Amino acid sequence: MNSLETDLNALRASAPLVHNITNYVVMNFSANALLAVGASPVMAHAVEEVEDMVGIAGALVINIGTLSAPWVQAMKLALKKAADLKKPIVLDPVGAGATNYRNVVLAELLETAPPSLIRGNASEILALAGLGGQTKGVDSTASSMNSLEAAQSLSERFGSVVSVSGAVDVIVQQNRVAYIENGHPLMTRVTGMGCSASAIAGAFCAVQQDAFQAAVTAATTMGVCGEIAFRKATAPGSFQIAFLDALSELTSEKLTELARIR
C-alpha cells in the first residue's frame, strides 16, 4: 500500500478534527469538503475559545481571506497554542501582496509560529517570499511553475513545506520537490476551492507526520476529485456539488490509479 492509500485510509479511520480560522466566503464549502473527505470540521474564531479548540483539534488551519483585528488576535492565540502543543499548522496567505495590511498581518503570523505547511497560489507565494508576486484580488497572476525559487526560499526561512496550486501543483520542502499534474481548469471558477484545499491539507497533516507527504496527498486528492467531478458536471454550480460527491466517493485505490505525480 502506497502513501496516498495509507493517508486516505488513516484520515477516514480517525476523522480528525480540523480547526479552521477561515474566511466568511468559504466556511460552508470548506466544512462540507472536510466532511466529504472524512474529516471533522470546526470553524471557531472567538478569542475566548480558540486556544481550547486547538487543544482538542488534530490540526489548525489559518486562512486570512477576510481579515479583521479581532480575527488576527484569535489567529495569533491559536498559533501560539498549536506551536506549544506541537499541533500541525497550515497557513493559507489569501491575497498576499494585494494590500499592505495583509502583508503586515502575514509577517506577524509567521513571526508568531512557523507553519508546518504554507499553501497558496503562485502570486501569493511569490509575494510572501518578497519576490514581487502580483495578485488580482485573491486570484493568481503567476504560474506555479515560476514559483519554485520562492517556495524554496520560504521553506528554508521557516522550515515549512510549501504547496503552490496551479495547473501543475508544486510542493517543496527545501530540496524535496513534487509536481502534481491532476486537476481541471473549472476548479478555478468555483470560489473557495483553494481554501478547501488548505483545509483538506490540514486534515492530512493531522494523520501524516511528514507534512511534505501530507501536502502531496492533499493536492492529489483535490486534483483527482476535480477530474472526476468534470465527468459529471461541466458548469461551476453543478461542478461544486459533483466535487463534494467525488470527495465522498473517492477510494484509496482510485486515488492511486488516477494520481499523476512526478
Side-chain angles (χ1 to χ4, degrees):
M1 186 177 296
N2 64 29
S3 294
L4 296 176
E5 294 184 19
T6 300
D7 292 348
L8 184 57
N9 290 340
L11 189 156
R12 297 263 172 82
S14 63
L17 180 66
V18 182
H19 178 192
N20 299 264
I21 303 180
T22 190
N23 68 77
Y24 290 119
V25 179
V26 306
M27 283 188 189
N28 179 270
F29 186 46
S30 293
N32 279 328
L34 283 168
L35 285 169
V37 81
S40 180
V42 62
M43 275 59 182
H45 55 265
V47 294
E48 293 83 359
E49 71 169 352
V50 289
E51 292 172 298
D52 290 339
M53 198 65 76
V54 169
I56 62 173
L60 170 67
V61 178
I62 300 289
N63 176 307
I64 70 160
T66 51
L67 283 175
S68 67
W71 283 40
V72 173
Q73 182 185 357
M75 290 173 181
K76 291 178 179 177
L77 290 171
L79 283 168
K80 288 177 182 176
K81 188 68 172 181
D84 288 345
L85 297 176
K86 295 181 169 53
K87 298 285 181 80
I89 299 166
V90 177
L91 173 65
D92 189 333
V94 178
T99 68
N100 184 62
Y101 180 55
R102 284 178 189 271
N103 295 341
V104 169
V105 167
L106 283 167
E108 292 175 353
L109 295 178
L110 288 165
E111 185 178 346
T112 301
S116 313
L117 171 62
I118 300 170
R119 201 221 64 83
N121 64 42
S123 291
E124 292 161 349
I125 296 304
L126 285 163
L128 197 59
L131 297 179
Q134 297 295 315
T135 58
K136 185 180 68 177
V138 299
D139 296 325
S140 181
T141 59
S143 164
S144 58
M145 299 300 287
N146 296 328
S147 64
L148 182 58
E149 179 184 351
Q152 288 175 326
S153 173
L154 286 173
S155 182
E156 291 171 3
R157 193 185 318 169
F158 298 106
S160 309
V161 174
V162 180
S163 178
V164 190
S165 60
V168 175
D169 294 332
V170 180
I171 299 168
V172 174
Q173 185 180 40
Q174 297 182 21
N175 293 325
R176 300 170 77 186
V177 182
Y179 300 93
I180 315 300
E181 297 179 340
N182 293 101
H184 191 275
L186 195 55
M187 297 173 76
T188 66
R189 309 310 301 166
V190 176
T191 190
M193 193 66 72
C195 300
S196 296
S198 295
I200 286 174
F204 281 111
C205 283
V207 299
Q208 168 58 263
Q209 291 186 344
D210 181 352
F212 180 86
Q213 179 57 48
V216 168
T217 304
T220 306
T221 298
M222 290 291 298
V224 164
C225 288
E227 293 172 1
I228 293 172
F230 186 71
R231 298 174 186 172
K232 300 180 180 179
T234 57
S238 55
F239 181 86
Q240 183 179 35
I241 302 303
F243 179 81
L244 292 174
D245 290 345
L247 280 174
S248 178
E249 296 167 0
L250 183 67
T251 65
S252 57
E253 294 80 11
K254 181 63 69 173
L255 179 61
T256 297
E257 176 190 338
L258 297 180
R260 297 196 303 277
I261 304 170
R262 59 182 175 87

